[in-house]
Amino acid sequence: MTKYGEQRDSPAIAASTVTAPKRFLTPGRFVTILCIVNLINYVDRGVIASNGVNGSSRTCDSKGLCSAGTGIQGEFGLSNFQDGLLSSAFMVGLLVASPIFAALSKRFTPFKLIGVGLTVWTLAAVGCGFSYNFWMIAVFRMFVGVGEASFISLAAPYIDDSAPAARKNLWLGLFYMCIPAGVALGYVFGGYVGNHLGWRWAFYIEAIAMAFFVVLSFCIKPPQLKGFAAKESKKPSSSIETVALTHAEAKAVTPKPKTQNLVVVFGKDMKALFSEKVFIVNVLGYITYNFVIGAYSYWGPKAGFGIYHMKNADMVFGGLTIICGIIGTLGGSYVLDRINATLPNTFKLLAASTLFGAAFCFVAFCMKNMYAFIGLFAVGEILIFAPQAPVNFVCLHCVRPNLRPLSMASSTVLIHILGDVPSSPLYGKMQDRLKNWRTSTLIITSILFLAAIIWGIGIFMNSVDRSNEKSEDEIEEEEKLETKADNNNSVPV
């Protein structure tokens, strides 16, 4: 007899209590981990460019009095050309390794590859701190790029799978918002640590911060990535049909092992990816867009000083980039979620935000008053940053799930090789010839109109969201199960 207020637990309630424990790794927590890792990646990019870490070379005046150099450039006696090569070394590692990690994801557990990449990143960051000459730090910067490549290729598909359907783009926006925020934080962090503890400690501290997530990546069990079979699940099925099969029957229906070479599989995947016209149009627009963004990020402060004689051009452009980057990235993501994130709607947002952003920036650089320029340019930058998440949404949704890592990797390689890598020297060459900052900047800004036109073409394409289509591996697995079931049904009783 139970007392008043007591309640007997039914077997169903007890069973549900036991079999449905509360998960620690919720989708929100998992994506938060990915965002923090992305933030640390871009903090490193800000650190290597900060004055406290990068430093300055040794200078001498007309009387022969020389001042000691500071940071990496001063300690190793680097020329500006050598200093620039450190950035190129990082990009070499990133661009070469991105498609390799994408290809390996077909054979190995994707999240474990991220763990391997972050391990390489952490060791390379420590190596940067221990470097004693130019070539040593250049090699370690290349391996930092290799480590980041695993994350760049595979993180976005995990976010796309983990996010609620109504908030996919907002969650992607939070992830890509870490890019401007991380670089800006790296400037501050690198400057402070470099000036107080020495430039080497900036690399040691960021490596310690990343080491925690290296351990975490090998300990947690991430959600199953859509389009990829679970690599660890080798246990046989315990269904009634499987149990009923005799040893001879099970042997008869054992599938043949795969013999395809990884290079052959990679070639087939590349052919399938570049047969997607939507992907090609999207990446062409992205390359054109990134060509301008790369020139802005490198030459913006110098152009601002040359046109408007700003005393704190670094702070003005840096502050605008942080604030407008966060507002624009989250704003573009939010709008896309609100207007129903189909591929045609995404192209409408990409084309419209880039078109109006280009117009505001173009008019801004025509202004003679500095404050009018800042106001118009701020609006333009918000609109220009709006495509950050939508353009990657197209990369993820215009292909089958098992091609998403390769889609992200190929996009990353192309937008850098054909976009921001050549744009900075080409802008510099143009400025050397024209010797007019305003004219040079207006010419480079005009290229954004071309990006808007290319993305506008995507609106009228017969684009299909393929993110829910089954991959060849899944279709093959289903066929095997059907064959097994048919053979089981045909066994005489």
Side-chain angles (χ1 to χ4, degrees), residues 22 24 230 280 297 321 325 330 346-347 373 380 386 446 463 476 479:
K22 187 177 180 181
F24 171 76
I280 293 173
S297 63
T321 300
L330 293 181
T346 308
F347 277 119
F373 159 77
S446 300
S463 53
E476 185 180 347
E479 290 175 351

Side-chain angles (χ1 to χ4, degrees), residues 104-120:
L104 291 174
S105 68
K106 302 294 288 291
R107 294 290 178 88
F108 302 97
T109 305
F111 202 75
K112 290 294 187 291
L113 291 175
I114 290 179
V116 171
L118 295 183
T119 303
V120 172

Side-chain angles (χ1 to χ4, degrees), residues 69-85:
T70 61
I72 295 172
Q73 192 173 17
E75 185 169 330
F76 296 155
L78 306 183
S79 65
N80 287 330
F81 176 73
Q82 288 176 311
D83 192 25
L85 284 179

Side-chain angles (χ1 to χ4, degrees), residues 47 72 85-86 190 225 255 270 380 389 421-422 434 438 441 462:
V47 162
I72 295 172
L85 284 179
L86 294 180
L225 196 59
M270 287 293 288
V421 170
L434 298 177
R438 191 187 300 274
T441 308
N462 184 24

Side-chain angles (χ1 to χ4, degrees), residues 79-385:
S79 65
N80 287 330
F81 176 73
Q82 288 176 311
D83 192 25
L85 284 179
L86 294 180
S87 175
S88 299
F90 170 86
M91 294 305 298
V92 168
L94 178 70
L95 300 182
V96 170
S98 291
I100 294 175
F101 276 109
L104 291 174
S105 68
K106 302 294 288 291
R107 294 290 178 88
F108 302 97
T109 305
F111 202 75
K112 290 294 187 291
L113 291 175
I114 290 179
V116 171
L118 295 183
T119 303
V120 172
W121 190 100
T122 304
L123 294 175
V126 173
C128 289
F130 278 108
S131 297
Y132 55 82
N133 61 30
F134 165 73
W135 289 109
M136 187 173 179
I137 194 169
V139 169
F140 280 120
R141 289 309 298 170
M142 183 184 70
F143 278 102
V144 170
V146 170
E148 186 175 320
S150 68
F151 189 77
I152 292 294
S153 304
L154 302 169
Y158 272 114
I159 294 175
D160 191 61
D161 284 352
S162 301
R167 295 182 181 177
K168 282 185 180 294
N169 286 287
L170 182 59
W171 285 29
L172 278 174
L174 288 168
F175 180 76
Y176 288 107
M177 180 197 72
C178 296
I179 294 176
V183 172
L185 184 60
Y187 289 151
V188 176
F189 170 73
Y192 182 83
V193 174
N195 291 331
H196 288 79
L197 300 176
W199 64 267
R200 297 177 186 276
W201 274 100
F203 293 111
Y204 297 151
I205 293 172
E206 69 180 27
I208 292 170
M210 186 66 86
F212 171 78
F213 294 97
V214 170
V215 175
L216 200 62
S217 67
F218 288 107
C219 294
I220 64 176
K221 185 176 181 180
Q224 178 60 40
L225 196 59
K226 191 190 300 181
F228 291 81
K231 307 297 188 297
E232 288 92 351
S233 69
K234 303 294 184 183
K235 295 180 181 179
S237 170
S238 59
S239 63
I240 296 174
E241 291 85 355
T242 306
V243 173
L245 288 175
T246 64
H247 176 71
E249 293 159 1
K251 189 175 181 180
V253 298
T254 300
K256 295 180 180 179
K258 292 184 179 180
T259 57
Q260 280 189 310
N261 187 279
L262 186 62
V263 176
V264 175
V265 174
F266 179 74
K268 289 174 62 178
D269 288 345
M270 287 293 288
K271 182 178 179 181
L273 177 64
F274 283 92
S275 66
E276 294 289 348
K277 295 179 181 178
V278 175
F279 172 81
I280 293 173
V281 170
N282 185 55
V283 170
L284 285 175
Y286 202 1
I287 290 169
T288 312
Y289 165 89
N290 213 49
F291 188 92
V292 180
I293 297 301
Y296 273 4
S297 63
Y298 191 82
W299 293 104
K302 292 184 180 180
F305 180 80
I307 298 170
Y308 299 103
H309 306 290
M310 296 178 183
K311 293 182 179 179
N312 297 314
D314 288 338
M315 295 296 294
V316 171
F317 275 83
L320 281 175
T321 300
I322 296 169
I323 297 170
C324 298
I326 293 173
I327 295 174
T329 304
L330 293 181
S333 308
Y334 177 79
V335 170
L336 187 55
D337 281 332
R338 297 290 293 180
I339 65 174
N340 186 13
T342 62
L343 291 180
N345 281 348
T346 308
F347 277 119
K348 290 176 184 176
L349 178 59
L350 290 171
S353 62
T354 306
L355 177 65
F356 287 108
F360 271 96
C361 289
F362 191 92
V363 174
F365 281 109
C366 290
M367 294 289 106
K368 293 183 178 180
N369 182 277
M370 184 181 71
Y371 296 103
F373 159 77
I374 292 174
L376 290 167
F377 188 70
V379 176
E381 275 214 312
I382 290 173
L383 291 167
I384 286 174
F385 275 107

Side-chain angles (χ1 to χ4, degrees), residues 442-465:
L442 288 173
I443 291 173
I444 203 76
T445 301
S446 300
I447 298 175
L448 280 174
F449 292 107
L450 177 59
I453 292 171
I454 295 173
W455 276 329
I457 295 171
I459 300 171
F460 305 100
M461 297 182 67
N462 184 24
S463 53
V464 178
D465 191 326

